[in-house]
Amino acid sequence: MPQRLTAGLLAVLLAAAFPAVAPATETNDAETLNRARAAAKDLGERLKGELVAAIKSGGPVTALQVCNTVVGDLAIQTSKQHGLTVGRTALRVRNPKNAPDAYERKVLEEFLEKASSGADLAKLEHIEVVSENGEKTFRYMKAIPMAAEPCLACHGTELKPEVKAEISRLYPEDQATGFKPNELRGAFTISRKLD
Ligand code: HEC
C-alpha cells in the first residue's frame, strides 16, 4: 500500500466511514433529530394504544371521549420525556388547538404536493432549523397518513350517527371528517429551541 492516499480514494474511504447521518437538512444535530423521530413515534404509538383499547372496551363514542381527555396529557408527557415540544396538526383539524401555524401550514401543503406526485406519505418528514428574532428553533414534521383501521370510524366519510353526534358535541368546529385511506390526515409537529 502506498503511504499517501490519493484524494479520490480518501473521499471514498471517508464516505464509507461517515455515511450521511442527516438528510438534506440545515442541522447536523443528529441527536436532536433522533430525539424528534423517537418522540413522534412514541406519541403515535401511545395515542393508537389508547384509541384501540377504548374502542375495544366501549366502542367509538367512548373512544372519542377518551381521546378528548387524554391526548393533551400524552403530548405533555411525551414532550417532557424527550425534552422538546411534540403535538399533532393538520390542514383540517378536529380540535382548533391543533390548527397549524404559518410554518406548519406550508410544510403540510408541501406534503400534499409530494403525495400527489407519488411520494410515500408514510416516509415523508421535514427537518429544518428556523431563525426568528435571532432565536434558532429546530423544527420537525412527520406526515400522518389516514389508515382504514381504526381511523375511518372517526375521520372517514360515513360515520355512525352516534359518532357524528358526539363529535359535534365535543368539537362543534370539527373539520376532520371525509378522509380516505392513504390521504394525508395530518402530521406530528415538533419543535425545540436551540441555544
Ligand atoms: C375514536 C375516534 C377516533 C379515531 C378512531 C381516530 N381519531 Fe384522530 N382524532 C379524534 C379526536 C377526538 C381528535 C381530537 C383530539 C384533540 O382534542 O386534540 C383527533 C385528532 C386527530 C389528529 C390531530 C389533528 C386534529 O384534527 O385535531 C390527527 C392527525 C388524527 N386525529 C389522526 C388520526 C389517525 C391517523 C387515526 C387512525 C390511526 C385516528 N386519528 C383515529 C378521534 C379519533
Side-chain angles (χ1 to χ4, degrees), residues 4 16 63 89 92 113 129-130 157 178 189:
R4 280 183 302 144
T89 186
R92 278 159 44 207
E113 232 177 84
V129 173
V130 182
T157 21
T189 177

Side-chain angles (χ1 to χ4, degrees), residues 48 51 55 59-65 67-69 71-72 88-90 92-99 144-155 163 167 170-171 174-176 179 185-188:
K48 212 164 173 179
L51 261 184
I55 291 176
V61 171
T62 306
L64 274 167
Q65 294 158 358
C67 201
N68 178 245
T69 50
V71 166
R88 293 184 307 169
T89 186
R92 278 159 44 207
V93 292
R94 173 145 298 164
N95 187 336
K97 285 189 193 154
N98 298 331
I144 302 177
M146 179 70 185
E149 283 293 326
C151 322
L152 281 178
C154 301
H155 296 295
V163 171
I167 292 173
L170 294 169
Y171 302 97
D174 180 49
Q175 301 175 309
F179 290 93
R185 170 62 192 89
F188 292 103

